[in-house]
Amino acid sequence: MKTLRRLARDRALVTGMVIVSLLVLAAIFATPLSNFPGHVTGFDPAFRLKPPGEVFWLGTDRMGADLYSRLLFGARLTILISISATAVAVLIGVPMGLVAGYFDRWYSDLLMRVSDVFLAVPQIVLAIAIAQTLGPAIQNVILALSATYWPFWARIVYAETRSLRNEVFIEAAIAMGASPLRVMVLHVLPSIASSIIVRTTIGMGATILAAASLGFLGLGAPPPTPEWGRMIAESREFLPQAWWYATAPGIAILLVVMGFNLLGDGLRDAIDPRIRRGS
Amino acid sequence: MSQSFGSFGRRGVLAGGTALSLFGASAEAAGRTRYITANNNPYDILDPHQVFDIGRIAIRLNMYDALVRWVDNPPKLEMWLAEKVDISADGLVYTFTLRPGVKFHDGSPLTADDVVYSMERILGIKKGAYGLFADVVKPGTTKAVDPRTVRFTLNKPFAVFQAVLSELWVVNSKVVKAQEKNGDWGAEWLTRNEAGSGGYRLRRFDPAIGFQAERFEGHFMPFGKGAVDDADFRVSMETATRVLGMIKGEFTTTDGYMPAEQVQRMKESGNVWFKEAESIRTFYFIMNHAKAPMNDVNLRRAISCMFDYEGFNNNILGGTVVRNPGIIPNPMWGAPKDLKGYSYDIDKAKWYLSQVKEKLRTIQIGAMAGYPQSEQAAQMLQAGAAKAGLDIKVVAEPYTTIAPKLDDPERAHDLIPLWRSAYFADPHNWTGFLFNSRNFKSGNASFYKNPRVDELTDQALVITDQEKRRPLYEEVSRILVEDAVGLFVNNTKFYGPYAKSVKSVRFCPIGDTQDLRWIEMNT
Amino acid sequence: MRLLALALRRFLWMPPTLLGLTLIVFSVSHIIPADPARVLAGENAPVEQVEALRRKYGLDKPLPEQFVRYVTDVVGGNMGQSLYTQRQVASDLVERLPATFELALFAITLAVLVGLPLGVVSALYRNTWLDHAVRLVTIAGLAMAAFWLAILLQLLFSMQWNLTPVQGRIDGWGPDPITGFYTVDALIRGDFATLATSLRYLFLPMITLAIPAMATIVRFTRAGVLNVMNSNFVFYQAAMGLPRRVVIWKYILRAALIGTLTQIGLVFGNLLAGAVVVETVFSWPGLGTYAYNSILQSDYNAIMGFTLFTGAVFIGMNLLVDIAQAVLDPRSR
């Protein structure tokens, strides 16, 4: 109860939570909320590039589709990409970090060196190369992002597992004859879960930014997918007249990434009061 | 400019640049005319034999000459380096007599040996316009009879041979040979240097910026009054930058294919005037006939009725294009004037769909990423198809990914919206090249095979008389529409923006107005 | 001695890491549907022409053989020829380097000059409106898509107010390179007009790159200062009766800033990553646009060359950061 009250007092955390919930709501209720649900794929060329007004709240795009409706459906895509990409990255990174950290064998070092290799080049560069190779599609964006972001989880889990390795409760479990798998899953994992959750929340924000960049560079989902980064790229040809075209999706990205970052920061503060003093 | 010609090494080019800044100051005093083009493609390779595209055509048109040259609209082929040509009765031997007294930029005379070397170089480096010649000219068959006479011997008749010779840019063989490295035909050197005879001479080059050239007074064709003295071609990728540069007077001209809104904005500024012309550049969807159900003519007809031509041409593109019912551009001879194409009609599309015998599946459009019109056309067709009950999926890929798949009917997309530009102005460019079954894997990316079309287009390549060829191409055009071989959308209109300092331009669909020698400036 | 061992160990890891990187990028770029020979041959080129080019560039060889050949060449100092520009990748990179470094240096300078004071102030006035404002700005700065910020700045500064150019690096032709840094070259020549022009062009891409970097620096600084302020050592000093100002300037700031400065290497590495997107939006003729274009063209050698180069810079920066940290803060050894 006390924790909850403390959480509620943390403005950053609450703001983050509100933004993320709004995103989720927008994604779930995109159809009833939108003015022109048909404009995910449809449009009306007669209303091309109209400024924001009563009918088209956020204006229309180069085909004559309602930007507000497309923005809502874009939220769905954003959630889909960021959840899947981080999930895959977690599924690769966490086991790797656990194994490398728990056992002190030759392959521990090797696994960590492999993750170093992936970290030796800017993530976005590698992601661009992979996305271009696989071809522009949502599932490839997800793949490119998870293939480049997993080392972050591997490193954090590795470091935490290492420091837990000599804790009394772990040694006790081993002494009682628990198998390594059991120790890892039942004892180590719960103790480091909070770090993983924090890292994942912040990772969601990073993934959304990276996915939008790929979309912007033309390596994301094809038209007419209402992907936010792609919408901004489309607008460039019509600047400065169609100022509204890039504005709305840009603000949407900003808010959502901010939401996840605030949520991540807030969770970290709540979970680990030691760091709280510092941030 | 006391710099010796021909020594255009990297250092040489820079030295030229330094000289320019001194020169530039005095140049304005001397009232030299300056012409700055902002291009939306990089000018990164100067070698006229390595590239064969519209984006970099200014390099070839201005610094190099060919035996013949295209002018005006509709394009006419004029003798250029050549004075006259004799064609043997069997259409196999072409003997060109060169103009007397033509000089390269280094002052040395241009001879038949240079023409021969240039042809061998194209066949040797196998890039750029190689595909135009590979079928009919074999290495070693081109001969210099005497310094002013060059003879081509074809291995089969090819009626458009003269037309494609406009891409045989003649390089200074002595200079290029001296730069050859392990049999590379001097490719590395010529990528960044120039060895031509054209109306303009390279002064400075930076692949990230563009190139500068000055008028070559020694050119065989005299320049008119108000001709451009100093030319500056720069890359500027962003549409907004080019538009702003035109409005502010920083650029003299830029590309003539902008969205309607941007054209309007430049007009309103009062600083820009426009040259309008119907070009010869058709926009259409390639259909892949090799994969069922696209081999079913009724499906192709159905698809042709699902595209909102009006909405696309007039609303999305703001009327900057003209409906083109067939593949040959309207202004080109060989395009039937009374050709009736398909129109947007969902009921008709549904009826055609009901006649399809093959099993239907999701059809895939491969739009060209980075080309908004290609993507928008894909969306347009997808929306129409949805109304008629046909499922279409769009993927957008860069041309670099689409192109390799064109060789393989299994991997190629069902539909690809793109342009067919004019590299040479002959109906063959749009018909035989694209739809003769002999050209599978090179030009015929539709994998369309129709014996009658093969016969007509083959026949038209053997006859040289244009009036006899015309009915053949008109028949081909009709068959292509009847068979709904592709989805033919529009022909491009050119809206060339010019600063007020430009008095007149001469438009030709091959290179638009980038052939600077026809420009007249106010002095 | 332990410091030396650490440096040596990290240094020795560099070649295998780079080799691993080469392997990854090689696999990514070669196992693909794209076909550089086809791209190179151009539109509608006959198959025979494509085959000839494939042979010429050794693209017809088995992949392992191509890989071994590439690595041997690189070790021998030859990064190969770019398929697209027809030049040695190494000389392409060297030619593009000054543009990117000039931009990155300007951006990091701006980020430090603004970020450090903001971070300190924010910590000293913790939980006041000032602190909240700074935190809001940093949080937004880290959440903003660089390409969107770039477009927003172009829209306002260039198109609406007409203050800066939309894109590019200089009006037409830059000065002949001495260092390749236009601003430095202009200063050496005393050409203030060119200096002013290149600064105008630098302005927007610099800000776009600097904002996330600045946000990071503010966060580090703020955290560092707060850490020192909360340490017993500072309580002790304050208890000794030293005036607050002296404590702040002499102890808190020094300790906090040293900690932050060591992070700048990492921030600089991230700037290079950001440059790929930012340079593309501003058509800045640097390594970023080169990398992006090479990827689009499937220009294998150029992609590999760029990745190896950035990899080396990245690892080098990390190494420097670790050493700096070890020197400045003996506890972290």
Side-chain angles (χ1 to χ4, degrees):
Chain A
M1 226 27 234
K2 213 176 136 197
T3 327
L4 272 184
R5 221 176 301 137
R6 208 183 65 214
L7 283 181
R9 254 187 293 126
D10 188 332
R11 258 175 295 176
L13 183 81
V14 172
T15 320
M17 206 108 84
V18 169
I19 295 176
V20 172
S21 321
L22 281 179
L23 173 77
V24 174
L25 287 178
I28 295 174
F29 298 109
T31 316
L33 281 175
S34 70
N35 297 341
F36 297 88
H39 281 189
V40 187
T41 51
F43 45 81
D44 188 344
F47 296 103
R48 174 174 176 271
L49 296 181
K50 293 278 174 259
E54 268 173 47
V55 184
F56 305 109
W57 294 355
L58 298 176
T60 62
D61 69 0
R62 61 179 184 179
M63 298 300 292
D66 181 41
L67 279 170
Y68 165 68
S69 306
R70 288 177 64 75
L71 215 59
L72 285 173
F73 286 98
R76 239 176 228 188
L77 204 67
T78 302
I79 289 194
L80 172 79
I81 293 178
S82 55
I83 289 188
S84 338
T86 26
V88 177
V90 167
L91 285 180
I92 304 173
V94 171
M96 253 179 135
L98 263 181
V99 169
Y102 185 82
F103 299 104
D104 198 2
R105 309 261 170 79
W106 60 271
Y107 49 76
S108 302
D109 224 21
L110 185 73
L111 284 179
M112 283 304 104
R113 285 304 146 194
V114 171
S115 74
D116 275 356
V117 169
F118 276 87
L119 292 171
V121 68
Q123 261 51 54
I124 190 72
V125 173
L126 213 52
I128 290 174
I130 296 177
Q132 153 72 358
T133 299
L134 299 174
I138 298 176
Q139 64 271 26
N140 295 342
V141 170
I142 293 172
L143 232 116
L145 292 179
S146 36
T148 44
Y149 281 85
W150 65 266
F152 290 107
W153 280 272
R155 298 211 92 182
I156 224 165
V157 170
Y158 171 79
E160 300 250 335
T161 313
R162 263 288 142 93
S163 65
L164 275 181
R165 187 69 178 73
N166 300 322
E167 294 282 330
V168 182
F169 75 100
I170 300 288
E171 284 183 346
I174 299 173
M176 286 170 72
S179 72
L181 185 69
R182 201 182 154 82
V183 177
M184 277 192 277
V185 175
L186 291 186
H187 300 280
V188 179
L189 209 50
S191 320
I192 61 172
S194 54
S195 308
I196 299 179
I197 292 172
V198 170
R199 176 67 240 184
T200 305
T201 317
I202 296 175
M204 293 279 283
T207 324
I208 292 172
L209 265 187
S213 302
L214 291 181
F216 175 77
L217 294 173
L219 300 167
T225 322
E227 200 270 321
W228 294 345
R230 152 171 281 282
M231 285 157 86
I232 295 176
E234 285 173 3
S235 76
R236 295 177 72 193
E237 214 193 340
F238 307 104
L239 293 178
Q241 294 98 317
W243 53 269
W244 61 88
Y245 202 154
T247 312
I251 291 177
I253 297 174
L254 173 70
L255 283 179
V256 169
V257 177
M258 224 162 106
F260 276 110
N261 286 354
L262 286 172
L263 191 60
D265 281 1
L267 283 177
R268 182 173 48 202
D269 290 354
I271 288 166
D272 188 353
R274 272 174 309 161
I275 312 173
R276 184 179 174 77
R277 305 191 165 276
S279 66
Chain B
M1 296 284 288
S2 59
Q3 182 202 351
S4 68
F5 303 119
S7 67
F8 286 115
R10 168 99 179 116
R11 206 165 272 278
V13 175
L14 288 177
T18 324
L20 173 72
S21 31
L22 301 169
F23 198 75
S26 61
E28 268 166 46
R32 285 176 70 87
T33 50
R34 208 168 140 70
Y35 192 87
I36 304 171
T37 307
N39 196 28
N40 53 352
N41 271 300
Y43 294 106
D44 41 12
I45 296 173
L46 294 182
D47 190 334
H49 298 154
Q50 283 189 52
V51 289
F52 171 47
D53 63 359
I54 301 296
R56 285 168 285 193
I57 201 168
I59 293 166
R60 311 196 291 281
L61 284 173
N62 291 304
M63 296 196 286
Y64 291 92
D65 287 316
L67 295 174
V68 290
R69 199 175 192 90
W70 292 103
V71 290
D72 291 338
N73 186 32
K76 288 195 306 279
L77 193 62
E78 281 192 353
M79 286 290 148
W80 194 250
L81 283 177
E83 213 168 46
K84 68 176 176 84
V85 58
D86 287 312
I87 306 170
S88 65
D90 59 3
L92 290 178
V93 183
Y94 285 68
T95 310
F96 286 89
T97 308
L98 302 184
R99 238 174 233 283
V102 179
K103 295 244 184 311
F104 279 114
H105 294 155
D106 68 352
S108 66
L110 186 153
T111 68
D113 285 329
D114 297 305
V115 182
V116 174
Y117 176 80
S118 300
M119 179 54 99
E120 298 301 331
R121 192 168 182 270
I122 291 178
L123 299 177
I125 56 180
K126 294 193 164 68
K127 281 189 194 167
Y130 171 76
L132 294 180
F133 302 106
D135 250 10
V136 288
V137 185
K138 294 296 155 205
T141 56
T142 310
K143 299 279 183 237
V145 179
D146 64 54
R148 280 187 53 206
T149 313
V150 62
R151 177 169 296 151
F152 300 92
T153 310
L154 313 186
N155 56 359
K156 61 180 171 201
F158 190 46
V160 294
F161 184 61
Q162 266 198 80
V164 300
L165 277 182
S166 60
E167 280 292 332
L168 172 59
W169 303 100
V170 180
V171 300
N172 190 330
S173 60
K174 289 173 292 301
V175 173
V176 177
K177 270 181 190 157
Q179 301 292 343
E180 286 182 0
K181 267 199 327 217
N182 350 309
D184 76 339
W185 296 91
E188 192 183 338
W189 185 80
L190 212 52
T191 297
R192 302 200 132 213
N193 297 278
E194 173 253 303
S197 60
Y200 290 82
R201 180 164 60 185
L202 182 68
R203 264 220 213 126
R204 192 171 175 183
F205 171 62
D206 183 330
I209 299 173
F211 72 96
Q212 280 184 330
E214 63 177 345
R215 192 142 63 95
F216 174 49
E217 296 296 351
H219 197 263
F220 62 84
M221 185 69 90
F223 286 88
K225 203 172 120 282
V228 174
D229 294 315
D230 294 310
D232 196 329
F233 289 86
R234 292 179 203 161
V235 52
S236 171
M237 301 301 280
E238 189 72 35
T239 307
T241 313
R242 299 199 304 281
V243 170
L244 211 64
M246 286 305 300
I247 291 173
K248 286 204 243 168
E250 288 165 4
F251 302 139
T252 320
T253 189
T254 182
D255 68 299
Y257 305 99
M258 296 253 190
E261 291 76 13
Q262 302 287 14
V263 171
Q264 193 52 37
R265 193 166 153 233
M266 283 187 272
K267 273 187 181 152
E268 280 164 7
S269 77
N271 296 334
V272 184
W273 65 273
F274 281 84
K275 166 88 181 169
E276 281 184 42
E278 184 170 356
S279 190
I280 47 172
R281 181 169 172 256
T282 33
F283 180 72
Y284 73 114
F285 285 70
I286 294 180
M287 291 185 177
N288 176 4
H289 296 226
K291 246 193 308 192
M294 294 295 290
N295 56 349
D296 191 314
V297 65
N298 283 318
L299 175 63
R300 300 197 302 267
R301 285 178 183 148
I303 290 175
S304 297
C305 291
M306 292 169 188
F307 190 81
D308 183 357
Y309 300 93
E310 281 276 306
F312 185 72
N313 293 344
N314 297 336
N315 291 327
I316 302 286
L317 301 184
T320 55
V321 295
V322 187
R323 171 91 177 102
N324 206 83
I327 184 67
I328 304 178
N330 301 325
M332 189 73 222
W333 63 270
K337 295 289 161 257
D338 58 343
L339 187 64
K340 225 180 116 23
Y342 294 87
S343 49
Y344 181 48
D345 187 337
I346 295 297
D347 291 331
K348 215 167 180 180
K350 282 180 179 158
W351 185 81
Y352 278 129
L353 268 186
S354 69
Q355 303 298 306
V356 175
K357 297 203 178 56
E358 296 282 348
K359 196 169 161 295
L360 285 179
R361 59 169 167 85
T362 303
I363 301 296
Q364 194 177 58
I365 305 181
M368 288 201 293
Y371 291 84
Q373 287 193 29
S374 179
E375 291 180 1
Q376 286 168 288
Q379 272 181 263
M380 203 80 195
L381 180 58
Q382 185 188 40
K387 285 184 192 145
L390 177 70
D391 194 19
I392 286 191
K393 190 180 137 203
V394 180
V395 297
E397 295 179 337
Y399 182 68
T400 48
T401 321
I402 290 183
K405 295 184 193 162
L406 292 176
D407 292 348
D408 180 354
E410 280 311 306
R411 282 166 63 215
H413 299 289
D414 296 311
L415 294 152
I416 302 168
L418 44 53
W419 289 269
R420 176 68 188 165
S421 300
Y423 295 102
F424 56 96
D426 189 281
H428 175 72
N429 182 45
W430 292 271
T431 53
F433 193 76
L434 297 180
F435 299 111
N436 189 303
S437 65
R438 239 186 318 105
N439 290 338
F440 276 11
K441 297 199 171 188
S442 57
N444 187 344
S446 314
F447 299 96
Y448 171 64
K449 186 176 168 67
N450 180 333
R452 181 66 186 150
V453 170
D454 285 357
E455 187 191 333
L456 287 167
T457 49
D458 279 341
Q459 209 182 336
L461 275 190
V462 180
I463 315 168
T464 40
D465 182 357
Q466 182 173 319
E467 281 319 303
K468 287 192 180 132
R469 296 175 69 211
R470 181 196 301 271
L472 305 182
Y473 284 120
E474 292 192 348
E475 192 185 336
V476 171
S477 297
R478 289 179 213 284
I479 297 175
L480 295 179
V481 169
E482 181 61 29
D483 272 359
V485 171
L487 194 163
F488 308 116
V489 183
N490 63 44
N491 183 31
T492 315
K493 257 162 104 181
F494 172 79
Y495 287 83
Y498 301 93
K500 295 274 168 168
S501 59
V502 180
K503 196 165 174 189
S504 72
V505 298
R506 190 174 173 189
F507 174 79
C508 172
I510 293 133
D512 301 337
T513 60
Q514 297 194 63
D515 192 351
L516 291 192
R517 72 155 39 251
W518 312 122
I519 303 233
E520 190 183 348
M521 307 276 288
N522 292 310
T523 44
Chain C
M1 230 22 239
R2 285 192 53 193
L3 186 63
L4 198 68
L6 169 90
L8 196 69
R9 206 173 101 94
R10 294 292 297 267
F11 191 74
L12 287 178
W13 264 114
M14 227 165 133
T17 310
L18 284 177
L19 183 72
L21 189 59
T22 317
L23 183 63
I24 293 173
V25 181
F26 186 89
S27 326
V28 165
S29 56
H30 282 66
I31 308 167
I32 26 170
D35 180 349
R38 195 81 188 67
V39 174
L40 208 57
E43 202 181 338
N44 299 320
V47 179
E48 178 210 344
Q49 180 179 357
V50 179
E51 289 304 324
L53 285 170
R54 200 167 284 146
R55 270 194 304 280
K56 183 174 168 204
Y57 292 106
L59 300 169
D60 55 338
K61 299 270 172 13
L63 284 183
E65 194 183 326
Q66 286 187 45
F67 181 70
V68 170
R69 204 166 78 171
Y70 180 78
V71 173
T72 327
D73 281 354
V74 170
V75 172
N78 174 11
M79 294 176 110
Q81 196 191 21
S82 153
L83 298 179
Y84 187 67
T85 67
Q86 298 286 314
R87 301 174 66 220
Q88 289 297 314
V89 169
S91 37
D92 274 346
L93 292 177
V94 168
E95 197 175 89
R96 300 293 195 115
L97 194 63
T100 299
F101 265 50
E102 183 174 36
L103 177 57
L105 284 176
F106 266 90
I108 194 117
T109 311
L110 179 70
V112 170
L113 286 184
V114 179
L116 271 184
L118 276 187
V120 171
V121 167
S122 169
L124 292 182
Y125 296 92
R126 193 180 172 195
N127 287 333
T128 62
W129 63 269
L130 192 71
D131 180 33
H132 293 312
V134 171
R135 290 187 74 190
L136 190 71
V137 170
T138 53
I139 286 167
L142 284 172
M144 208 167 322
F147 57 90
W148 180 66
L149 174 63
I151 289 177
L152 213 63
L153 292 174
Q154 286 177 333
L155 197 60
L156 292 176
F157 282 83
S158 316
M159 300 179 200
Q160 215 59 46
W161 301 326
N162 214 345
L163 293 174
T164 57
V166 186
Q167 52 148 46
R169 194 179 171 207
I170 195 89
D171 283 337
W173 297 79
D176 294 331
I178 302 173
T179 60
F181 286 56
Y182 286 174
T183 46
V184 176
D185 288 357
L187 272 179
I188 293 175
R189 290 206 179 86
D191 179 356
F192 292 104
T194 306
L195 180 67
T197 319
S198 50
L199 286 176
R200 262 166 27 98
Y201 276 90
L202 265 168
F203 189 66
L204 294 188
M206 170 182 79
I207 290 186
T208 315
L209 263 187
I211 282 183
M214 186 196 79
T216 314
I217 290 174
V218 170
R219 283 176 73 113
F220 272 126
T221 316
R222 186 173 178 278
V225 172
L226 286 180
N227 246 333
V228 182
M229 278 170 75
N230 291 336
S231 66
N232 297 335
F233 156 77
V234 169
F235 278 122
Y236 176 72
Q237 297 286 350
M240 295 279 290
L242 279 172
R244 183 173 146 87
R245 270 177 56 178
V246 176
V247 176
I248 289 174
W249 285 114
K250 241 182 132 171
Y251 300 99
I252 299 183
L253 282 191
R254 223 179 82 194
L257 295 195
I258 286 172
T260 307
L261 282 173
T262 57
Q263 299 297 331
I264 286 175
L266 293 178
V267 176
F268 191 77
N270 286 329
L271 273 186
L272 287 184
V276 175
V277 176
V278 174
E279 284 187 5
T280 310
V281 183
F282 287 103
S283 291
W284 190 261
L287 291 172
T289 37
Y290 183 71
Y292 178 63
N293 289 334
S294 321
I295 290 173
L296 282 194
Q297 303 283 352
S298 303
D299 188 344
Y300 293 161
N301 287 344
I303 300 173
M304 311 268 295
F306 170 79
T307 325
L308 274 183
F309 176 79
T310 358
V313 172
F314 241 57
I315 298 173
M317 283 290 179
N318 277 321
L319 183 62
L320 283 181
V321 168
D322 285 356
I323 293 175
Q325 233 163 16
V327 171
L328 295 170
D329 181 6
R331 276 172 309 166
S332 77
R333 282 186 215 175

